[in-house]
Amino acid sequence: MSEEMYGLNDAYCMAAFRHIYTDTASRYRLCCYAQSFKPLNISAEKVLPFDYFFSPKMNSIREDMLNNRRRPECSFCYGLEKKGIDSPRNWRFNYVAPFDKNKKRVYPTEVKEHSVELKLRIFGNQCNLSCYMCLPRNSTTREKEMEAIGMHEVFGFEKILYSEITISNERYDEMVEHLIKYHRYIRKLTILGGEPFLMPRVKDFLNRLPNPNGKIQLIFNTNLAQIAWLPDFYKKFPKLSLIVSCDHYGEKLAWLRYPINVNKFEDNLRRGKEMSDYIAISCTVSRLNAPDLREISEYYRNNFGVAVAFNMVHEPPHLSPKQLSHEQKGIVIGRLKDWMHQDAANTGRTFSIWSVQQVIKNISQPGDASLDAAFYDYIDKLDKHRGTNARALFGNFI
């Protein structure tokens, strides 16, 4: 089937045609929101990335989507859409799909060279931070803190030690050679962690991967702990982007992304802007920072010239902003609506406005008061372990 305009249907998603993703257990999934393949998990330890992508199973999935047959792996997005919330699937339609010469969105129906985005967690999970909403298997520091307070399993994942979620050195080398062979298909390479600038394999991989004519877009999802070797790759990858994980500023940032050095982070944010083709902040919205989203956005826009986009905490559910009380929701939603009306021209781009709208839709969903005890227990255990005081810091919204 040739590339063509493909009208939206209830099953189709661009990710099946443009996206190769592995989670920190080295399992392939259609995207980071998708469920693992059933009944058989497909692991990068056994199947190389493009062998998986061009496999009969993936071809069957693509055929199902083109024929409007829903896939069980995509239940997360379908569920959001049923509630009237724009899903990552819809976001791809509205903001990622390329334009044709008539400025209409083109939705892919086949795999072409220089069209695939790689998001492979093959580098490890070394990370210097223990962000309070992070899944433990995505950070070595987070794993240690969750073990110390006895709450590893609360975040929905079985306990997996670091040595069990990192592919072997032999397999890593085999995978790099495989990606070199298929580099002509790669349009975008997103480096995930852990923290990319702390993982030795990342630098090795970027040194070995060909990038003729500088066509590959290189994206780091980073907390900007350090960027010492970032200049080494700006010439090889001139299309270099930084997506910065940051959920507040000042003391509240220091608590949410403990034990971040806020001054060093802000210095690296300034340097990163100078050394990248594009930079933006990705703010994870939870019940602790939801009241301050306008202030967060304006702080980074006014002081650093960096735009902020929002994504939502979904798991564990007691951290979700929909768990705010009815009174708290009214205050937060009122603030966000005032922001959109008063500051729409300065909010930046349509995506920023869209992301605020999605926050409002998510917060408006009903919560579950029975989860509040788990939230307070978790916060109190973190404070006791860290020697901090979140209740004093976040005030009436905790």
Side-chain angles (χ1 to χ4, degrees):
M1 184 179 292
S2 62
E3 178 109 352
E4 59 185 18
M5 291 299 298
Y6 193 85
L8 304 186
N9 67 34
D10 293 332
Y12 173 86
C13 181
M14 287 176 56
F17 298 82
R18 292 292 183 266
H19 200 69
I20 303 179
Y21 172 82
T22 60
D23 61 22
T24 44
S26 299
R27 298 171 299 194
Y28 291 107
R29 292 192 272 150
L30 293 177
C31 74
C32 63
Y33 298 99
Q35 299 295 315
S36 299
F37 293 112
K38 304 295 184 184
L40 178 67
N41 289 326
I42 305 173
S43 170
E45 281 283 7
K46 298 180 179 179
V47 183
L48 292 166
F50 281 96
D51 291 342
Y52 147 78
F53 198 58
F54 292 123
S55 68
K57 182 175 183 65
M58 281 301 299
N59 289 335
S60 175
I61 288 172
R62 287 188 275 264
E63 188 67 23
D64 280 348
M65 289 183 172
L66 292 174
N67 287 284
N68 203 20
R69 294 190 290 266
R70 286 193 164 193
R71 296 293 310 184
E73 298 88 359
C74 303
S75 58
F76 177 81
C77 283
Y78 301 152
L80 288 180
E81 293 160 15
K82 188 176 181 179
K83 297 176 182 177
I85 300 173
D86 275 356
S87 66
R89 184 179 85 101
N90 284 335
W91 178 77
R92 290 178 181 277
F93 289 137
N94 296 325
Y95 298 98
V96 177
F99 291 101
D100 66 8
K101 61 181 180 180
N102 297 316
K103 296 185 178 181
K104 293 182 178 180
R105 296 283 183 184
V106 177
Y107 307 117
T109 60
E110 65 178 8
V111 180
K112 290 186 173 183
E113 291 188 2
H114 191 60
S115 70
V116 177
E117 177 183 11
L118 295 182
K119 287 187 176 182
L120 303 177
R121 294 183 182 271
I122 61 174
F123 307 108
N125 69 340
Q126 295 100 318
C127 184
N128 59 316
L129 302 184
S130 180
C131 306
Y132 103 114
M133 80 301 284
C134 181
L135 300 177
R137 63 167 53 170
N138 290 339
S139 164
T140 48
T141 303
R142 176 71 165 160
E143 284 182 327
K144 293 175 182 177
E145 184 169 59
M146 289 296 95
E147 288 177 339
I149 67 173
M151 300 194 74
H152 202 292
E153 288 77 9
V154 171
F155 281 71
F157 287 87
E158 69 279 13
K159 182 177 177 180
I160 300 180
L161 298 177
Y162 169 67
S163 61
E164 295 177 297
I165 65 172
T166 306
I167 62 172
S168 66
N169 289 331
E170 182 179 2
R171 183 60 169 177
Y172 165 75
D173 286 332
E174 186 179 4
M175 187 170 290
V176 173
E177 292 303 314
H178 170 84
L179 294 173
I180 291 171
K181 176 182 177 181
Y182 284 93
H183 76 271
R184 67 188 186 278
Y185 283 96
I186 303 172
R187 180 181 67 87
K188 184 186 296 186
L189 173 63
T190 299
I191 305 295
L192 305 168
E195 168 51 38
F197 293 107
L198 297 179
M199 298 185 293
R201 281 181 175 178
V202 172
K203 191 173 183 179
D204 170 76
F205 175 65
L206 295 178
N207 275 321
R208 295 165 65 180
L209 182 69
N211 188 25
N213 303 316
K215 286 186 175 182
I216 296 176
Q217 180 184 2
L218 175 62
I219 302 173
F220 289 100
N221 279 13
T222 173
N223 63 38
L224 290 184
Q226 64 174 6
I227 53 175
W229 52 259
L230 179 61
D232 297 350
F233 293 98
Y234 187 71
K235 289 185 178 180
K236 183 176 182 180
F237 295 94
K239 296 180 180 180
L240 191 153
S241 300
L242 297 174
I243 305 301
V244 182
S245 299
C246 171
D247 317 304
H248 222 296
Y249 55 88
E251 291 183 330
K252 290 183 178 180
L253 174 62
W255 193 94
L256 293 170
R257 291 192 171 266
Y258 178 86
I260 191 171
N261 182 322
V262 175
N263 291 332
K264 183 178 180 181
F265 166 78
E266 293 190 348
D267 287 343
N268 283 344
L269 187 61
R270 294 185 182 93
R271 293 176 59 213
K273 185 179 180 183
E274 295 174 354
M275 291 186 285
S276 59
D277 182 56
Y278 174 81
I279 186 170
I281 285 175
S282 176
C283 174
T284 301
V285 181
S286 71
R287 64 190 293 174
L288 288 184
N289 65 352
D292 304 326
L293 300 186
R294 179 174 183 172
E295 289 79 4
I296 294 167
S297 179
E298 291 179 345
Y299 179 82
Y300 288 103
R301 185 182 68 204
N302 295 338
N303 291 292
F304 301 91
V306 177
V308 177
F310 305 112
N311 60 87
M312 307 302 299
V313 167
H314 295 285
E315 295 290 340
H318 59 259
L319 300 188
S320 168
K322 70 182 182 181
Q323 290 300 121
L324 293 169
S325 69
H326 179 75
E327 180 182 0
Q328 291 170 334
K329 286 184 178 184
I331 295 172
V332 172
I333 291 172
R335 290 178 181 177
L336 293 174
K337 288 183 176 179
D338 287 345
W339 179 25
M340 286 196 298
H341 290 307
Q342 297 171 9
D343 204 26
N346 292 326
T347 299
R349 298 285 180 260
T350 303
F351 177 76
S352 295
I353 297 173
W354 174 86
S355 66
V356 173
Q357 292 170 335
Q358 299 317 301
V359 171
I360 292 173
K361 288 183 179 180
N362 275 273
I363 293 176
S364 300
Q365 297 296 307
D368 182 354
S370 68
L371 298 176
D372 285 347
F375 171 72
Y376 293 118
D377 178 56
Y378 171 56
I379 296 300
D380 290 342
K381 285 181 177 177
L382 281 181
D383 275 338
K384 183 178 180 180
H385 178 71
R386 297 173 173 181
T388 53
N389 190 343
R391 290 177 183 264
L393 184 60
F394 291 95
N396 295 332
F397 282 87
I398 197 169

